[in-house]
């Protein structure tokens, strides 16, 4: 898709066509990190979308809860001794255009142009930016990563509209950050995997050794995939 002369990056849609499965809010614990790996610290800017007009856009968490969310995400990424530090944590007033309004009211599709409109247009920044919303209306995905841009959107409400930051919210954000560290989706392993959206599994935040290696290689480049 091309808008304003720009080529849009490839997207990873999480839970597309299977949102009712990925949205299960089972609790899961990550295995302990491999202490033989040197810790890699990456900066993350967290943006909490706020809107008094559109409930689904309004991220239902406090600044403190956002810090806790990142801490929980770090427990997942401890498997690879990768730690995200909150470089910035800001509230963003969503831009409510007619397109944004109809999409987040479930009348039209929530797609990436709409998401960009909601944050006021394309961003110039480099590095990692996570935009958190309550929900994507009828979109059928839990998160989206803009490949090459370091920008992701993640929702916090599961398929029942329940805010479960400790499991659902953590898993979605950790998953999108996995894409930002070059990890693609994988098929459903019985033991579970962070990058297997919509799959049941023993530990749905697990990373295998190949994923850890690939993610660390990307992280060492100091820039998003
Ligand atoms: Zn994904």
């Amino acid at each position: 898709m091309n808008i304003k002369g720009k080529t849009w990056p490839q997207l990873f849609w999480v839970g597309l066509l299977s949102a009712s499965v990925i949205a299960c809010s089972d609790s899961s614990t990550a295995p302990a990190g491999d202490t033989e790996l040197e810790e890699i610290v990456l900066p993350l800017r967290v943006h909490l979308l706020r809107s008094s007009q559109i409930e689904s856009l309004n991220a239902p968490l406090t600044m403190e809860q956002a810090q806790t969310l990142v801490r929980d995400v770090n427990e997942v990424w401890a498997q690879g001794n990768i730690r995200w530090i909150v470089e910035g944590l800001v509230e963003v007033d969503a831009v409510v255009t007619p397109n944004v309004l109809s999409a987040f009211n479930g009348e039209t599709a929530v797609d990436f142009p709409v998401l960009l409109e909601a944050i006021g247009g394309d961003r110039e920044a480099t590095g990692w930016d996570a935009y958190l919303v309550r929900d994507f209306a009828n979109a059928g995905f839990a998160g989206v990563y803009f490949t090459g841009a370091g920008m992701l959107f993640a929702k916090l409400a599961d398929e029942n509209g329940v805010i479960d930051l400790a499991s659902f919210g953590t898993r979605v954000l950790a998953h999108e950050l996995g894409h930002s560290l070059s990890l693609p989706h994988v098929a459903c392993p019985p033991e579970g995997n962070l990058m297997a959206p919509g799959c049941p599994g023993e530990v749905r935040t697990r990373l295998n050794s190949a994923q850890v290696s690939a993610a660390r290689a990307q992280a060492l480049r100091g820039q998003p995939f």
Side-chain angles (χ1 to χ4, degrees):
M1 184 174 294
N2 198 288
I3 291 183
K4 296 178 185 172
K6 301 191 73 167
T7 302
W8 293 91
Q10 178 194 356
L11 298 181
F12 287 111
W13 299 98
V14 180
L16 193 63
L17 304 178
S18 56
S20 62
V21 183
I22 192 178
C24 294
S25 54
D26 60 332
S27 62
S28 31
T29 30
D34 184 343
T35 52
E36 294 179 5
L37 297 173
E38 186 179 349
E39 184 180 69
I40 303 172
V41 176
L42 297 173
L44 176 65
R45 293 181 293 267
V46 180
H47 308 256
L48 311 182
L49 268 286
R50 304 296 201 201
S51 177
S52 57
Q53 288 178 263
I54 306 179
E55 185 187 0
S56 58
L57 256 177
N58 193 52
L61 75 174
T62 64
M63 305 289 260
E64 290 75 19
Q65 286 174 313
Q67 293 277 8
T68 301
L69 179 66
V70 175
R71 187 200 66 198
D72 290 347
V73 163
N74 280 332
E75 289 185 14
V76 174
W77 278 100
Q79 296 170 87
N81 268 8
I82 292 170
R83 182 164 60 89
W84 304 90
I85 54 165
V86 178
E87 184 185 61
L89 173 57
V90 294
E91 297 175 288
V92 178
D93 286 330
V95 178
V96 181
T97 64
N99 286 340
V100 170
L101 190 62
S102 63
F104 277 86
N105 281 339
E107 295 155 8
T108 54
V110 175
D111 53 17
F112 38 95
V114 163
L115 291 172
L116 287 183
E117 271 188 46
I119 62 169
D122 209 351
R123 93 197 207 292
E124 303 293 332
T126 58
W128 282 266
D129 283 284
Y131 293 85
L132 305 181
V133 301
R134 180 187 182 89
D135 210 340
F136 294 118
N138 301 331
F141 54 83
V144 58
Y145 176 65
F146 290 64
T147 304
M151 179 169 57
L152 68 87
F153 285 77
K155 74 170 192 168
L156 303 171
D158 69 14
E159 87 276 23
N160 297 316
V162 174
I163 305 300
D164 187 349
L165 299 177
S167 57
F168 181 82
T170 296
R171 195 167 69 242
V172 173
L173 181 54
H175 173 101
E176 296 307 325
L177 289 170
H179 286 315
S180 85
L181 294 178
S182 81
L183 302 186
H185 289 160
V186 298
C188 302
E191 69 273 20
N193 192 280
L194 179 66
M195 303 311 294
C199 299
E202 182 189 336
V203 181
R204 294 176 66 190
T205 52
R206 188 188 302 273
L207 292 165
N208 62 38
S209 58
Q211 289 172 315
V212 166
S213 296
R216 285 181 60 83
Q218 182 66 42
L220 286 170
R221 295 185 188 106
Q223 60 188 39
F225 177 73

